[in-house]
Amino acid sequence: MQIVREFESSFPGNCCCHEIASSGEAKVVQVDEHDAIRTAIRDRDGAAARRLMHDHILHSKQLLLKHLDEQGFWPDGDGAA
């Protein structure tokens, strides 16, 4: 939870959710991936839940960085990742 709170405090408002929602991959990120994580947790499959959450975070990161690149967010124009 500490990591999530730190991440949330790094971005104003719903920046991540808004940009992911407008990416065209919203259903995959916000519904399908969360459903898979919930199912793994419900089934008490810790290894699968961990892997799915890891993949979900990386997918979300890619979408956010792509958006920031497209918006010219980085001062040197190179992108961060």
Side-chain angles (χ1 to χ4, degrees):
M1 287 305 299
Q2 179 182 354
I3 293 169
V4 171
R5 284 188 197 107
E6 288 174 14
F7 180 73
E8 287 175 341
S9 70
S10 300
F11 293 94
N14 259 343
C15 176
C16 297
C17 293
H18 172 73
E19 301 318 329
I20 290 169
S22 65
S23 74
E25 293 187 56
K27 182 182 182 301
V28 172
V29 174
Q30 296 175 351
V31 177
D32 298 342
E33 291 179 6
H34 284 161
D35 284 348
I37 293 164
R38 263 192 305 275
T39 297
I41 292 169
R42 184 194 65 221
D43 293 345
R44 298 183 185 270
D45 187 345
R50 186 177 303 112
R51 178 182 47 77
L52 290 164
M53 190 66 209
H54 177 267
D55 293 348
H56 172 68
I57 290 169
L58 290 179
H59 188 195
S60 299
K61 171 191 164 190
Q62 290 170 343
L63 293 175
L64 180 59
L65 289 176
K66 179 182 175 193
H67 171 76
L68 294 174
D69 286 344
E70 290 169 353
Q71 298 302 309
F73 179 81
W74 314 111
D76 60 5
D78 281 348

